[in-house]
Amino acid sequence: MNNSFDLQKLLRPHILTLAPYSSARDEYTGHVGVFLDANENPYGSVTGENFNRYPDPYQAEIKQKLSPIKQVSPDRIFLGNGSDEPIDLLTRATCTPGQDRVIIMPPTYGMYEVSASIHDVKLDKVSLTSDYHIDTQAVLDAVTPLTKIIWICSPNNPTGNVMQRDAIQTILENFAGLVVVDEAYIDFTDEPSWIQHLDQYPNLVVLQTFSKAWGLAGIRVGMCFASPELIRILNKIKPPYNISLPAQQALLEGLNGIGKKDRMVADILEQRDALTGMLQSLPIVVKIHPTDANFLLVQFEDAKGVMDYLIHETIIVRDRSRVHLCEGCLRITVGTKEENEVLIESLKKFHPRNVIV
Ligand SMILES: *Cc1c(COP(=O)(O)O)cnc(C)c1O
């Protein structure tokens, strides 16, 4: 390692010394007893199901189940209200507003920039290369003494490709801040996760989510894997009950359903191939970018025209046509067989001179 990573130095000083909110359930973690400590309603809930008790603030049962699935110890796991929460907390823990900086590599996921903006953190953009890979030297050249985080999305949204392992490794070895690898789409690729390298790189943080492959976007749970020291800091600054009781119950059930997740992923991959084939046969399609995710970045001759036409047909895709390096492209999520066929049948009827009224 050429870097001199030191978590204590990277964190904002007041975060290191801060005393967290101590919740009633922090102080007694047993399951049975008479609970008169948290001002809950002892009779139950207004709903059919009872949600009257506060949930486990650290989701111990879920982490026990998740640990063997992800092959990582529970003390390296943080769960957030979507991945968006660890993105926000990592920024807050390390970046002093109006002073510190982070690096992103556009075109990429929008939340890294939003989080920086919310916290008045300066953003340095190092564009991906024209084939959507990391420009390693340019990234290292953009690092300043005030740079705290480098955000890497792999497979990348919206381009769909996995980032080169040697580029990520070089950045990990030469940057003394946090290198966050966002693996929201990891289930759709054969590439191994960076989780297995957490031991090797104390500055590595890996994000994953239950929102995509697991089909649980509605319960809002994201995963963050990092050193036990950093996980302790995230636990200290998170809102005390950030994962709700119904979300925790759904997850406990969902983690028993890994077979169903794998079957759905297999179906999505099959549909991804089928959709690619059908799109390729359309004359209005210029290019379909290779993908390791559950979406396709597709270049059209007239992306704006196609987008407006599809909205008129009540088919909603994501317009990326004005994004640097994605000019003329729409991002299309792989749907069910039926949904994809509806899309293709509509596109077959699209004519550049279609008049939208
Ligand atoms: C969808 C997505 C996420 C997931 O966000 P959640 O807040 O967990 O729903 C994270 N990162 C990227 C790049 C995504 O595309």
Side-chain angles (χ1 to χ4, degrees):
M1 287 265 236
N2 300 319
N3 75 51
S4 51
F5 179 74
D6 178 347
L7 183 62
Q8 311 270 318
K9 283 200 194 121
L10 193 75
L11 295 168
R12 295 165 69 191
H14 76 284
I15 295 282
L16 257 182
T17 52
L18 164 134
Y21 173 75
S22 180
S23 67
R25 285 304 122 77
D26 273 343
E27 286 165 19
Y28 177 80
T29 52
H31 281 288
V32 284
V34 177
F35 290 106
L36 304 177
D37 57 347
N39 301 346
E40 297 152 331
N41 185 326
Y43 291 108
S45 307
V46 293
T47 49
E49 260 182 280
N50 280 340
F51 298 120
N52 55 319
R53 298 294 175 188
Y54 281 100
D56 176 0
Y58 302 109
Q59 314 94 26
E61 229 180 312
I62 293 165
K63 289 176 187 174
Q64 281 304 333
K65 273 196 170 174
L66 193 55
S67 164
I69 294 173
K70 296 295 177 184
Q71 311 220 335
V72 64
S73 60
D75 63 350
R76 289 180 176 276
I77 305 175
F78 173 85
L79 298 179
N81 184 345
S83 319
D84 295 343
E85 186 170 41
I87 290 171
D88 175 83
L89 294 176
L90 289 164
T91 307
R92 265 201 273 180
T94 58
C95 295
T96 298
Q99 172 188 306
D100 289 335
R101 320 180 71 92
V102 300
I103 293 176
I104 65 164
M105 299 170 209
T108 193
Y109 185 50
M111 275 312 291
Y112 320 133
E113 176 162 4
V114 170
S115 181
S117 302
I118 289 171
H119 297 293
D120 190 22
V121 166
K122 304 219 171 58
L123 193 73
D124 292 302
K125 297 184 183 184
V126 180
S127 176
L128 294 174
T129 61
S130 56
D131 61 353
Y132 300 147
H133 282 113
I134 296 173
D135 187 341
T136 314
Q137 195 53 51
V139 170
L140 293 177
D141 288 347
V143 170
T144 76
L146 294 172
T147 307
K148 298 300 175 81
I149 301 177
I150 297 178
W151 298 100
I152 299 173
C153 190
S154 181
N156 187 40
N157 177 5
T159 62
N161 60 297
V162 165
M163 296 298 156
Q164 327 94 282
R165 296 193 83 75
D166 57 342
I168 296 177
Q169 190 180 330
T170 303
I171 293 170
L172 280 165
E173 285 173 359
N174 291 284
F175 174 55
L178 298 180
V179 179
V180 184
V181 183
D182 184 344
E183 298 184 332
Y185 300 97
I186 192 71
D187 297 85
F188 304 104
T189 172
D190 294 331
E191 280 289 311
S193 166
W194 279 89
I195 287 179
Q196 63 195 78
H197 297 288
L198 286 170
D199 277 335
Q200 210 176 330
Y201 301 109
N203 58 337
L204 172 62
V205 180
V206 178
L207 301 181
Q208 293 187 5
T209 181
F210 286 100
S211 295
K212 309 287 158 64
W214 293 85
L216 293 169
I219 68 167
R220 310 302 306 127
V221 184
M223 298 165 257
C224 175
F225 306 96
S227 68
E229 294 72 27
L230 182 55
I231 297 298
R232 273 200 293 277
I233 297 291
L234 296 179
N235 279 332
K236 202 161 92 157
I237 65 175
K238 78 183 181 76
Y241 303 106
N242 60 330
I243 311 291
S244 74
L245 184 58
Q248 294 199 34
Q249 289 170 344
L251 261 185
L252 282 174
E253 183 194 336
L255 288 171
N256 293 329
I258 195 163
K260 176 157 189 200
K261 187 263 287 179
D262 291 341
R263 284 194 298 281
M264 291 194 290
V265 167
D267 287 344
I268 289 167
L269 294 182
E270 192 185 321
Q271 290 310 314
R272 183 175 80 185
D273 288 347
L275 180 61
T276 305
M278 292 189 288
L279 284 166
Q280 258 156 0
S281 67
L282 299 178
I284 57 169
V285 169
V286 178
K287 180 172 184 181
I288 304 167
H289 290 275
T291 184
D292 283 294
N294 65 337
F295 57 82
L296 299 172
L297 187 67
V298 184
Q299 190 185 351
F300 290 88
E301 266 170 21
D302 174 17
K304 173 87 174 68
V306 172
M307 183 75 199
D308 291 344
Y309 166 76
L310 287 176
I311 288 174
H312 181 77
E313 299 279 294
T314 69
I315 298 172
I316 317 305
V317 300
R318 194 92 153 113
D319 186 0
R320 302 282 82 178
S321 62
R322 285 176 299 276
V323 172
H324 176 56
L325 294 180
C326 299
E327 288 82 2
C329 289
L330 303 180
R331 194 194 69 193
I332 303 175
T333 306
V334 177
T336 63
K337 187 168 191 288
E338 293 70 26
E339 289 171 332
N340 298 336
E341 280 165 4
V342 168
L343 169 73
I344 295 296
E345 286 316 306
S346 280
L347 287 175
K348 278 182 185 163
K349 286 185 236 140
F350 172 78
H351 188 276
R353 269 172 298 169
N354 266 0
V355 179
I356 316 291
V357 284

